[in-house]
Amino acid sequence: MRRVGHLFEQIVDRDNLRRAVHKALKGKRDRPDVQAWLGQLESHLQRITAQLQVGSFPVGRFHQFVIHDPKERIITAPCFEERVVHHAIMNVCEPYLDRLLVFDSYACRRGKGRIACLLRARRFAARHRWFLKLDIRKYFDSIHHDRLLRLWQRRFKDARLFGLLESMIRSYRGTLGRGLPIGSLLSQHLANFYLGWYDRFLKEHLRLPAMTRYMDDVALWSDDPDALRRAEKASLEFLREELDLEVKPHPYRNRSMHGLDYLGCRVFPTHLVLNRRSRVRFRRKWQRLERQHAGGSLSEAELQARVTALVAFTRTAGLSAWQFRRRTLCSGSVGGREAQTG
């Protein structure tokens, strides 16, 4: 594929920046600081354009917080202005990044996503007798800055865009030379791009009959268990030598009929069910919401909205979870009403 150039001018185009503001406002519109920023929109856009043009746009302005979902994660949220620039970059670059990805990569892509990945995995489980599950160890923290930038230069030749991306990438843990922040739009797409080279290795060199990847969760299928053993060994070598990544110990290989734990579900050849961890998380979140509502910190409307979002996770197409939802949600008054609709 030919290297792509002349993208920076499209990124700093005023109409593109306005579209980026509109996207960055999602979920942020009611914040007082964002409202104040919008009050001087044109002057801010003019300043951002000038800063980007001369390479002086300040990067690395973010705040961090910790979530437990289920394991502890540090979320690094960029300031609103940097969030706008991330959207401006991806408005232009996302179509080119998407072309580099294989069909069976499902994270951060239009028309793909978790549900599509699970349904594809179920079809592969029905066609092939064996599977192999691989997980990258501390993936976002392990992405090597220099290698990521070299891979970017192999596909893009815009020097000013490269300089902007380099400053953004190195603004996070620059002294360590590796790691992308969780919680950034740009990080998600760059992380997906980084493992896209591994996808092509699987498709073009190992030529396995079936694979899916959702960010760093990789599943492979074959009728030959020895082929999966060879794929495991080759994958470990490629990820270590080419991308400087390590796979979690003891990759899991088994028959498809026994079920694959994948993306919060257990994938069988004929159906999907919530896996044990997802059931435990669902119960704990529901119980926490009930306590907050009983304590007065959560209104009836807020509880209904959060329960709806919680239930949506268990409504993956083809997922056998309605009995579990009914048993869990009927334990509470608001849950009972929600259970009647789901």
Side-chain angles (χ1 to χ4, degrees):
M1 181 180 292
R2 295 177 57 185
R3 294 171 70 208
V4 181
H6 306 293
L7 299 179
F8 189 81
E9 293 83 356
Q10 300 176 49
I11 291 170
V12 299
D13 178 78
R14 188 61 59 88
D15 288 337
N16 182 53
L17 287 173
R18 290 194 184 96
R19 288 195 299 273
V21 170
H22 178 73
K23 291 183 178 180
L25 283 172
K26 185 177 181 180
K28 310 290 183 182
R29 186 178 294 273
D30 294 332
R31 283 174 31 181
D33 59 324
V34 173
Q35 287 292 326
W37 195 91
L38 290 175
Q40 300 180 12
L41 175 62
E42 290 304 319
S43 63
H44 284 307
L45 292 182
Q46 184 176 1
R47 174 180 51 79
I48 290 172
T49 302
Q51 290 174 331
L52 290 173
Q53 291 279 12
V54 300
S56 64
F57 180 78
V59 297
R61 295 171 290 167
F62 52 76
H63 72 278
Q64 294 182 318
F65 55 93
V66 178
I67 64 170
H68 300 271
D69 191 27
K71 59 186 178 182
E72 181 177 295
R73 296 181 187 273
I74 299 176
I75 303 300
T76 303
C79 70
F80 181 75
E81 199 163 87
E82 193 161 341
R83 182 180 165 98
V84 169
V85 175
H86 287 186
H87 279 285
I89 293 171
M90 293 316 306
N91 284 347
V92 175
C93 295
E94 183 177 358
Y96 299 103
L97 292 174
D98 193 72
R99 293 175 196 172
L100 301 175
L101 298 172
V102 302
F103 179 86
D104 285 309
S105 174
Y106 286 87
C108 305
R109 301 180 71 186
R110 298 170 189 265
K112 299 284 186 175
R114 172 178 168 268
I115 292 177
C117 188
L118 284 168
L119 294 177
R120 183 74 160 169
R122 189 184 67 186
R123 286 195 290 271
F124 285 149
R127 295 174 186 171
H128 303 284
R129 292 182 298 157
W130 291 84
F131 71 81
L132 170 66
K133 175 70 164 39
L134 299 170
D135 289 317
I136 310 299
R137 183 177 179 273
K138 296 183 177 179
Y139 177 52
F140 274 75
D141 287 340
S142 301
I143 294 174
H144 197 282
H145 292 175
D146 288 339
R147 295 192 187 210
L148 172 60
L149 290 167
R150 284 199 296 270
L151 291 174
W152 182 272
Q153 284 187 305
R154 288 172 63 176
R155 293 306 190 194
F156 299 90
K157 60 181 179 180
D158 192 308
R160 287 190 294 177
L161 173 57
F162 178 82
L164 176 60
L165 280 173
E166 182 176 22
S167 66
M168 288 181 164
I169 290 169
R170 297 195 189 281
S171 69
Y172 181 76
R173 300 175 64 179
T175 56
L176 298 178
R178 65 172 67 234
L180 293 178
I182 299 175
S184 157
L185 173 72
L186 191 62
S187 294
Q188 294 176 32
H189 284 279
L190 290 177
N192 211 27
F193 165 76
Y194 196 64
L195 270 182
W197 301 86
Y198 172 55
D199 296 339
R200 294 198 170 275
F201 173 74
L202 292 174
K203 289 282 190 179
E204 298 170 5
H205 294 275
L206 299 187
R207 297 186 179 277
L208 287 171
M211 62 83 66
T212 61
R213 180 174 69 83
Y214 191 89
M215 197 54 77
D216 58 323
D217 290 320
V218 182
L220 314 174
W221 287 266
S222 176
D223 289 319
D224 182 1
D226 291 331
L228 291 180
R229 291 189 186 95
R230 293 191 295 270
E232 178 183 336
K233 181 180 178 181
S235 293
L236 297 179
E237 292 177 356
F238 178 89
L239 291 167
R240 181 175 59 252
E241 295 173 5
E242 299 296 326
L243 300 178
D244 199 13
L245 298 172
E246 296 292 335
V247 174
K248 291 180 181 178
H250 313 300
Y252 187 51
R253 184 176 57 252
N254 207 338
R255 292 182 182 272
S256 297
M257 63 181 292
H258 295 319
L260 160 67
D261 270 350
Y262 195 48
L263 304 181
C265 294
R266 196 161 182 85
V267 180
F268 292 93
T270 57
H271 64 287
L272 305 169
V273 297
L274 284 179
N275 64 16
R276 181 181 179 278
R277 177 178 291 183
S278 292
R279 291 169 185 263
V280 171
R281 288 171 61 193
F282 186 94
R283 290 191 183 100
R284 287 176 178 172
K285 287 184 177 181
W286 165 244
Q287 291 167 0
R288 185 168 62 249
L289 290 175
E290 283 279 75
R291 288 195 300 269
Q292 291 174 345
H293 177 60
S297 61
L298 205 63
S299 69
E300 181 92 3
E302 290 172 327
L303 177 62
Q304 289 283 7
R306 295 195 185 186
V307 168
T308 299
L310 185 60
V311 169
F313 180 82
T314 71
R315 284 179 169 166
T316 299
L319 183 62
S320 301
W322 69 271
Q323 290 183 336
F324 167 74
R325 287 200 307 269
R326 184 180 62 182
R327 288 195 303 269
T328 303
L329 296 179
C330 283
S331 63
S333 57
V334 178
R337 290 193 291 274
E338 179 64 29
Q340 293 172 12
T341 67

